[in-house]
């Protein structure tokens, strides 16, 4: 294994995010490199106030190293809020591996990555994310015992997208109750952007509930799989076409930044509730949604089912126990909408306040160590 070293000072924009901006406050960021395997990775720990940081490993061909670090910072911060709102005894962390997984992912690279995670001594617990899968976590676990999302054959919980989608559906039901008075999507038209890991499970929940479903995905085979199984599902060319389609609910379930100024202006849906992380392209989008009368379910609350599933693995995985906890996402989402209405703020701001309150209470409850003299 090569070195694990602090973030250098060359990337001023990243350092500003880390040390200066309101989006910073991370406890630790490490850069990991193993030249023999081609591994380049970033592990970001935003907070361990509630316990060891828990978050997935994203394997993605970033345009630059700085972009990769920035993504790790954003994603790890989101995990702190997600884990707090999910009621878990975990802080927030995230790792990114730089490169195209279809080109450079090897067993030896994953083993090297596992050694870097192990070097943190349990401060970070990893799992699957975009570009990594259950079989990858089985490999990572061979050099790092702080690994979740493994296969059932290896003592794990399996595919965490199962409860991620279930949690999205629970949040969507809560949004329907708030917006239309009933916790069901029956008779509503729901547009899903991204029908991969999570999105295809979400389609199943919605069809069962009686919703009309419209989908799109950058991968034609993903769309074909859905329409072959459910001929009643409609497909459109891309996300731009989807947001302009008459919808009741828009569900971004691909990569982040889905809600930018142009998208918000074009949306026909009056509810936004999807699985993607970091959906708001920039601060202020949440207010624009509220000003248009669009009810936004905060993404890190909506998609918490997966982290609930992998966290349960650390205690000897029990699917029914994890599903029961994920069912509570319905109540959490309703509480956020109620808090938003009471405080006169967008739901995203209400969720942040509740999460920050829990983290602050956790920090305050830890006795301060006596100062060294």
């Amino acid at each position: 294994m090569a070195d694990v070293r602090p973030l250098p000072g060359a990337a001023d924009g990243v350092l500003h995010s880390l040390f200066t901006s309101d989006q910073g406050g991370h406890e630790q960021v490490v850069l990991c490199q193993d030249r023999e395997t081609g591994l380049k990775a970033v592990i970001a720990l935003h907070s361990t106030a509630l316990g060891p940081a828990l978050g997935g490993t994203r394997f993605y061909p970033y345009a630059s190293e700085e972009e990769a670090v920035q993504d790790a910072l954003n994603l790890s911060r989101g995990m702190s809020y997600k884990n707090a709102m999910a009621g878990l005894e975990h802080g927030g962390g995230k790792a990114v591996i730089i490169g195209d997984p279809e080109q450079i992912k090897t067993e030896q690279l994953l083993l090297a990555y596992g050694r870097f995670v192990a070097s943190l001594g349990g401060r970070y617990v990893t799992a699957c994310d975009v570009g990594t899968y259950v079989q990858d976590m089985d490999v990572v676990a061979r050099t790092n015992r702080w690994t979740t999302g493994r296969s059932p054959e290896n003592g794990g919980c399996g595919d965490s997208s199962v409860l991620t989608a279930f949690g999205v559906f629970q949040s969507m039901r809560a949004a329907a109750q708030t917006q239309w008075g009933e916790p069901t999507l029956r008779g509503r038209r729901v547009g899903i952007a991204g029908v991969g890991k999570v999105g295809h499970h979400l389609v199943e929940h919605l069809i069962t509930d009686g919703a009309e479903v419209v989908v799109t995905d950058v991968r034609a085979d993903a769309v074909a799989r859905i329409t072959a199984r459910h001929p009643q599902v409609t497909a459109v060319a891309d996300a731009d076409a989807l947001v302009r389609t008459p919808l009741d609910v828009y569900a971004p379930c691909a990569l982040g930044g889905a809600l930018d100024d142009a998208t918000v202006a074009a949306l026909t849906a009056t509810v936004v509730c999807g699985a993607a992380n970091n959906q708001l392209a920039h601060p202020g989008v949440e207010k624009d949604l509220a000003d248009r009368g669009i009810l936004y379910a905060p993404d890190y609350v909506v998609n918490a089912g997966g982290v609930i599933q992998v966290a349960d693995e650390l205690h000897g995985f029990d699917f029914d126990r994890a599903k029961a906890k994920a069912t509570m996402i319905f109540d959490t989402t309703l509480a956020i909408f109620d808090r938003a209405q009471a405080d006169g703020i967008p739901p995203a701001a209400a969720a942040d306040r509740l999460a920050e309150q829990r983290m602050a209470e956790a920090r305050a409850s830890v006795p301060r160590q006596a100062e060294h003299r």
Side-chain angles (χ1 to χ4, degrees), residues 1 32 39 43 45 52-57 94-95 97 107-128 134-151 154-156 313-314:
M1 184 174 72
C32 314
L39 172 71
I43 302 173
L45 307 185
L54 171 61
T57 298
K94 203 80 170 189
I97 298 175
E107 180 180 11
Q108 291 305 311
L109 182 147
L110 293 172
L111 291 172
Y113 168 68
R115 288 191 288 269
F116 280 111
V117 175
S119 74
L120 295 172
R123 281 175 52 77
Y124 170 57
V125 180
T126 195
C128 301
V134 169
Q135 60 267 33
D136 298 326
M137 292 303 108
D138 283 346
V139 175
V140 171
R142 284 157 53 188
T143 52
N144 165 47
R145 64 188 180 93
W146 294 285
T147 303
T148 62
R150 296 165 294 151
S151 66
N154 285 282
E313 184 176 322
L314 298 171

Side-chain angles (χ1 to χ4, degrees), residues 191-216:
I192 304 176
V195 285
K197 274 185 176 183
V198 175
H200 83 277
H201 289 298
L202 181 58
V203 169
E204 300 290 338
H205 289 298
L206 290 167
I207 292 293
T208 300
D209 197 37
E212 180 182 351
V213 179
V214 186
V215 302
T216 191

Side-chain angles (χ1 to χ4, degrees), residues 85-108:
M85 289 306 299
L88 299 176
E89 300 303 317
H90 285 283
K94 203 80 170 189
V96 302
I97 298 175
I98 303 170
D100 185 344
E102 295 187 4
Q103 298 293 323
I104 71 167
K105 187 195 293 183
T106 64
E107 180 180 11
Q108 291 305 311

Side-chain angles (χ1 to χ4, degrees), residues 175-339:
Q177 177 165 311
T178 301
Q179 196 78 322
W180 302 302
E182 288 186 289
T184 178
L185 283 305
R186 184 176 296 106
R188 303 291 174 184
R189 179 182 282 181
V190 181
I192 304 176
V195 285
K197 274 185 176 183
V198 175
H200 83 277
H201 289 298
L202 181 58
V203 169
E204 300 290 338
H205 289 298
L206 290 167
I207 292 293
T208 300
D209 197 37
E212 180 182 351
V213 179
V214 186
V215 302
T216 191
D217 197 292
V218 295
R219 296 185 58 164
D221 61 328
V223 173
R225 177 177 60 175
I226 295 296
T227 54
R229 182 175 177 84
H230 299 290
Q232 71 269 42
V233 170
T234 303
V236 297
D238 53 33
D240 287 340
L242 185 64
V243 298
R244 289 171 171 79
T245 299
L247 300 172
D248 295 300
V249 181
Y250 175 54
C253 293
L255 296 177
L259 298 172
D260 56 18
D261 295 338
T263 299
V264 172
L267 269 174
T268 62
T270 55
V271 168
V272 173
C273 180
N277 286 309
N278 299 325
Q279 292 173 25
L280 304 178
H282 59 79
V285 174
E286 70 282 2
K287 186 176 184 303
D288 293 338
L289 288 164
D291 288 345
R292 286 205 58 209
I294 299 171
L295 182 65
Y296 171 65
D299 49 39
Y300 62 80
V301 176
V302 172
N303 61 23
V307 76
I308 289 171
Q309 182 170 336
V310 299
D312 193 85
E313 184 176 322
L314 298 171
H315 307 286
F317 183 62
D318 183 304
F319 182 82
D320 291 338
R321 179 176 62 199
K323 186 176 182 180
K325 193 169 184 66
T327 302
M328 296 171 64
I329 292 174
F330 176 87
D331 296 319
T332 301
T333 306
L334 283 181
I336 289 166
F337 292 150
D338 289 345
R339 175 71 177 266

